[in-house]
Amino acid sequence: MIKSLVWPGASVFYKNDRWFTFYVGYGHKADKRDYYPVVPQVPQEIPLEPPEESEPNPKESGDSSKLNDPETVKSFIAILEEVLANAEKFEEVLTRTFEEVDVDHSGEVERNEADNLLRGFSKHLEIPLEPGTKAVEEFFKLFDKDKSGTISKEELGDPLRGLLGIWIDTLKEKLEELPQDAEESL
């Protein structure tokens, strides 16, 4: 048996024309001084959670909303009415809307894409739409005119016209609710 002086615990022995090597040790070279493992550092304290930030875009009826300015509301109404009256502008809005809704770019709106579209409409109209409602089925019954199971760009035109009309009516109601002195100051 041969023992290593550099690596304590390393041994070699020979028996029946075979060499055997084995090691039992701490993985450190021999040193004249004793080995003492380093004491681990004290763990850091758990950091405090940062304070909660306020909502960057709060949904409130305060004076910070652009829709509290009668001129802004009137300009929105004028833009929407112009889009409905001008076929070219409506076609441009319809194309942009369809491209945003047709996520997979298949050229047709499938049921999952219609669900996202309806959730967007309900968000803008502030109408709650719960998951699992029959809104998508009703949407397809009303607007899938060829009963293909998908909605084409042309079939999306009617609901978009209706939505723009609803927005115009909503903005007109909002304009009537604004304080009269704000309207007169214009």
Side-chain angles (χ1 to χ4, degrees):
M1 182 184 276
I2 302 171
K3 291 191 172 201
S4 172
L5 297 174
V6 177
W7 293 97
S11 302
V12 178
F13 67 93
Y14 179 80
K15 183 178 182 181
N16 299 335
D17 292 329
R18 296 188 68 190
W19 288 93
F20 297 94
T21 305
F22 65 93
Y23 175 80
V24 179
Y26 294 108
H28 296 280
K29 287 185 177 182
D31 197 355
K32 293 182 181 173
R33 52 195 162 116
D34 291 332
Y35 171 72
Y36 295 103
V38 178
V39 177
Q41 294 180 354
V42 177
Q44 293 181 343
E45 291 183 25
I46 298 174
L48 297 174
E49 288 189 30
E52 190 171 318
E53 299 291 329
S54 61
E55 178 66 33
N57 300 314
K59 191 174 187 179
E60 58 185 80
S61 61
D63 291 335
S64 62
S65 172
K66 290 182 179 180
L67 291 180
N68 285 335
D69 175 27
E71 278 304 310
T72 304
V73 174
K74 287 177 185 176
S75 65
F76 283 163
I77 292 171
I79 291 169
L80 292 174
E81 286 175 339
E82 184 179 352
V83 167
L84 282 178
N86 185 326
E88 281 182 31
K89 288 190 179 189
F90 180 77
E91 183 64 27
E92 181 183 326
V93 170
L94 176 61
T95 301
R96 272 198 334 246
T97 303
F98 189 80
E99 288 171 356
E100 286 180 23
V101 172
D102 184 22
V103 177
D104 63 0
H105 306 292
S106 64
E108 296 178 324
V109 175
E110 289 87 21
R111 291 186 188 281
N112 63 328
E113 294 169 328
D115 187 46
N116 292 339
L117 172 69
L118 290 176
R119 290 186 195 288
F121 282 172
S122 70
K123 180 179 172 186
H124 286 295
L125 296 174
E126 298 180 359
I127 300 170
L129 181 65
E130 295 297 323
T133 61
K134 295 184 180 182
V136 174
E137 295 303 320
E138 293 300 320
F139 184 79
F140 269 84
K141 282 181 188 176
L142 288 171
F143 302 112
D144 183 17
K145 294 187 169 84
D146 62 0
K147 305 298 181 211
S148 63
T150 59
I151 296 176
S152 67
K153 180 179 157 187
E154 291 74 26
E155 291 173 321
L156 186 63
D158 289 336
L160 185 61
R161 280 188 193 280
L163 177 66
L164 293 177
I166 290 170
W167 279 343
I168 290 170
D169 293 341
T170 304
L171 287 172
K172 285 181 178 177
E173 289 173 10
K174 175 73 174 173
L175 190 60
E176 290 174 6
E177 293 173 5
L178 290 175
Q180 294 301 321
D181 57 335
E183 270 185 58
E184 292 170 3
S185 64
L186 299 172

